[in-house]
Amino acid sequence: MDRIVEISREIAVISAGRGGGAPAQRERQDGEAHIDLRLSCGAMQRGALLVMLADYVPRLSFSMAHPLASKHHWWPKGVSRYWKNDEGIVHWLKPDGEVISSDPANFAAIGGGHSVRLGNDPGEDTPWDFTFEPEFDRPDSAFPHVIEWLQSLDRPPLIEAGLRDRYIPIEAASEQIDQLLECVISLAVRSPMTRALAVATAEHLRGSIKVKEKNNLISMNLRGTQRNHARNIPYIGKVAIIYSPNREFIFGDGFYSTLAPGSYNLGSLSIICPITPRIAVVIHKPSQYRTRPRLSAITFADQETDGLNSVTQIYACNAVFYREEKPTPSEYFVLRRHQVLDWPNAICAFLRQLPGVQS
């Protein structure tokens, strides 16, 4: 029986099966990626639904020497460098358990990932070709300063108390908070998970789409998303910094985010994004809240960091990055699918405990 699921402000009709079994897959044509959407009941947070998005690995056929085909990092070098260990490397964990270790600048790049090229032949230029990579120039330039600022702030003690009582308010200029928000939102906009969402409905309705056309559709749907969200940043209600003194966070090609590709307003935007192995940032726009404090901080216990890492593995598909503490691939990460927690879930309960949020 068909169910209706709203994704990225569009309606996709999804054939849903019940039970905890692995979702069905379509046959792939050689050299092409695909997206399967499916609702699966059970297995997660007392029967919470997971929206399954098959892994999507973008591949381009045109020359990498072309300026529109240059590598666009979805994990910018100004962020990934803070994940280096003492040997100057970062570890990439794959769903099958394989680990690749390298300088992080060699990871998380897509050739022409933020460009549209409409020529019929490889390398053919047209007057309508464009790239929106410059939309990320400002946050990429600001990231090192933002991270150094986060590292310099006073950190709340880890105490035994209710979650809301463990936060401390952070005084900061609005411009500084807005810059932090713009940086974090930029990671969500260009995340491979958001890219998968940007083409998921088209693939469901049309079936398999050739790689070049698929990449163009993704770029067209993502174009302007960063710019439009940046305009609305002053209206985001709550921001929190999570510090993890003992355990390391992981970063993935998906993380908790409700950002919709191409959306023009922040709606009920929520993002929890690891920025360094010791720092994660929470963005939340609740329906009701007190304006102060706008920015707060909390220190996580080991089990809380482990819990957030488990959520990151649910949203990730092909890549989990870590510095020293190697995670075990979870039962969700091994499926090689971006998975989305349905509401309500444990993250919703966590966000309701942010200071000033009206439950």
Side-chain angles (χ1 to χ4, degrees):
M1 182 176 182
D2 288 343
R3 293 183 181 273
I4 304 298
V5 176
E6 185 174 358
I7 295 179
S8 306
R9 299 171 59 198
E10 298 176 311
I11 300 298
V13 182
I14 300 171
S15 177
R18 296 188 178 271
Q25 301 184 30
R26 292 199 310 270
E27 294 272 335
R28 297 188 189 204
Q29 297 183 11
D30 185 41
E32 293 187 357
H34 77 285
I35 300 291
D36 266 344
L37 294 182
R38 184 183 177 100
L39 279 178
S40 177
C41 296
M44 185 61 202
Q45 301 253 357
R46 298 180 181 177
L49 297 179
L50 299 176
V51 179
M52 303 298 197
L53 304 178
D55 55 302
Y56 169 60
V57 183
R59 295 178 291 273
L60 299 176
S61 59
F62 46 81
S63 170
M64 298 303 293
H66 194 286
L68 292 182
S70 60
K71 289 184 177 180
H72 298 155
H73 282 80
W74 49 265
W75 194 27
K77 290 182 281 187
V79 179
S80 63
R81 76 185 197 189
Y82 289 91
W83 292 72
K84 292 181 180 180
N85 62 15
D86 292 340
E87 298 176 352
I89 62 174
V90 170
H91 305 290
W92 168 13
L93 174 67
K94 295 186 176 183
D96 61 3
E98 179 186 359
V99 174
I100 300 176
S101 302
S102 179
D103 186 302
N106 298 323
F107 294 147
I110 300 174
H114 304 145
S115 301
V116 170
R117 298 191 69 189
L118 299 176
N120 292 323
D121 300 321
E124 178 185 354
D125 295 331
T126 77
W128 300 279
D129 297 345
F130 67 88
T131 178
F132 61 96
E133 174 66 12
E135 292 187 19
F136 303 109
D137 288 348
R138 189 166 65 179
D140 285 353
S141 298
F143 255 122
H145 307 289
V146 167
I147 292 175
E148 290 171 8
W149 170 57
L150 295 177
Q151 291 175 330
S152 71
L153 294 174
D154 292 334
R155 307 187 180 193
L158 181 58
I159 60 175
E160 292 186 7
L163 190 62
R164 183 169 292 186
D165 296 331
R166 290 164 50 194
Y167 286 93
I168 63 170
I170 300 294
E171 293 296 330
S174 295
E175 294 77 11
Q176 204 163 24
I177 299 175
D178 290 349
Q179 188 178 60
L180 168 63
L181 290 168
E182 184 174 7
C183 288
V184 174
I185 287 173
S186 77
L187 293 179
V189 169
R190 52 188 149 175
S191 168
M193 177 157 190
T194 307
R195 293 177 60 85
L197 286 170
V199 76
T201 301
E203 284 209 307
H204 174 77
L205 296 176
R206 295 176 50 186
S208 179
I209 302 174
K210 292 183 178 180
V211 174
K212 181 182 177 182
E213 182 184 0
K214 181 186 298 182
N215 283 322
N216 282 337
L217 285 172
I218 291 171
S219 292
M220 289 177 178
N221 285 333
L222 290 181
R223 178 188 59 172
T225 303
Q226 175 67 24
R227 182 177 64 252
N228 292 323
H229 280 300
R231 293 171 181 161
N232 288 293
I233 278 175
Y235 305 105
I236 291 179
K238 294 297 171 182
V239 187
I241 307 163
I242 303 174
Y243 293 104
S244 180
N246 301 319
R247 300 296 296 271
E248 292 182 351
F249 291 118
I250 60 175
F251 185 76
D253 59 353
F255 49 85
Y256 186 87
S257 171
T258 62
L259 185 143
S263 57
Y264 284 78
N265 62 75
L266 296 174
S268 57
L269 178 69
S270 299
I271 297 172
I272 305 179
C273 179
I275 300 297
T276 78
R278 300 293 184 188
I279 301 174
V281 176
V282 181
I283 295 175
H284 184 46
K285 187 181 181 185
S287 57
Q288 296 182 11
Y289 60 93
R290 295 193 302 271
T291 57
R292 296 183 63 84
R294 187 183 182 200
L295 177 64
S296 57
I298 189 173
T299 296
F300 263 14
D302 294 357
Q303 65 270 24
E304 292 170 321
T305 299
D306 292 342
L308 182 55
N309 286 343
S310 297
V311 172
T312 299
Q313 287 209 46
I314 291 170
Y315 282 73
C317 174
N318 287 309
V320 162
F321 299 105
Y322 66 95
R323 181 165 62 185
E324 292 290 0
E325 299 175 7
K326 179 184 177 181
T328 300
S330 72
E331 60 182 306
Y332 305 105
F333 184 49
V334 298
L335 297 176
R336 301 178 68 96
R337 281 167 172 73
H338 295 295
Q339 302 171 67
V340 180
L341 289 176
D342 195 18
W343 186 91
N345 55 65
I347 296 297
C348 295
F350 168 73
L351 295 174
R352 286 196 297 269
Q353 293 301 309
L354 290 171
V357 174
Q358 304 296 313
S359 299

